[in-house]
Amino acid sequence: MDEITASQAVRVLAARLPNWTIWYGRHTGHFWALLKRRPGVEALHVEARAAAELENQAAVAERWLAGAVVGQKAPPLPIGVAPIGDVLVARAPDSRPLRARPRPRRTTEAM
């Protein structure tokens, strides 16, 4: 995505998501959003490959936060969201899952 298209998409997202700080990472090629601090609310960070995907993830995150009431058990985190320290992070899905390669077996020969 070129810088002009990305900056236009960031402006549109910022207008649609006033509770979020939005930016585009040129090196990652992903859109990023950080929920603006509110008292009693954990920091929330969202990453997506496309602007529409970021908007959807932010909406899901806000619905989840609305369901989390102080003093009660928090609802389960949405799929793809994990706490890292005091920040909830929603990562963009990888294009293909990472799989560990099987290690070749070593045979031991008697000497």
Side-chain angles (χ1 to χ4, degrees):
M1 176 175 289
D2 64 10
E3 286 186 44
I4 294 171
T5 306
S7 64
Q8 290 171 344
V10 166
R11 281 195 294 274
V12 169
L13 285 169
R16 291 183 179 179
L17 303 169
N19 295 327
W20 297 81
T21 301
I22 312 286
W23 69 96
Y24 179 78
R26 291 186 318 211
H27 295 288
T28 61
H30 291 190
F31 288 90
W32 301 77
L34 182 64
L35 184 65
K36 293 178 181 176
R37 289 299 263 175
R38 292 189 230 164
V41 176
E42 296 182 53
L44 184 60
H45 171 255
V46 179
E47 175 189 4
R49 290 193 180 119
E53 183 184 345
L54 183 86
E55 189 172 8
N56 290 337
Q57 287 186 357
V60 168
E62 285 184 347
R63 283 192 303 271
W64 179 82
L65 282 174
V69 178
V70 177
Q72 293 183 356
K73 184 178 176 183
L77 291 171
I79 295 172
V81 176
I84 298 178
D86 290 338
V87 178
L88 296 175
V89 179
R91 304 283 302 183
D94 291 333
S95 57
R96 57 180 187 245
L98 297 176
R99 294 184 181 169
R101 292 184 184 168
R103 290 185 175 179
R105 291 187 173 197
R106 290 188 179 180
T107 57
T108 56
E109 296 179 19
M111 296 186 106

